[in-house]
Amino acid sequence: MHAHDQTPAVPAVHNATTTERGSFAVARCTCGWAGPARRSRDRARVDAAEHTGPPPPPAGA
């Protein structure tokens, strides 16, 4: 496989933050991930925390 055929690696460190839009908020990360739109501020913070938490175990483990 050629290097240009490979998917770019996801950054090892995630930096998720929340951004407010009126009464709602959205979580975003430096890796390009974005949580669902129009969340309560508390739920957006939970979305960000879940995204930056430890990765899930491999399938079948």
Side-chain angles (χ1 to χ4, degrees), residues 7-47:
T7 303
V10 175
V13 177
H14 293 271
N15 185 18
T17 59
T18 57
T19 303
E20 293 188 19
R21 291 191 178 154
S23 301
F24 299 98
V26 64
R28 296 190 186 279
C29 182
T30 54
C31 74
W33 171 86
R38 295 188 56 118
R39 305 290 256 182
S40 69
R41 290 175 185 93
D42 288 339
R43 185 61 198 157
R45 284 191 281 273
V46 170
D47 291 341

Side-chain angles (χ1 to χ4, degrees), residues 3 5 12:
D5 292 333

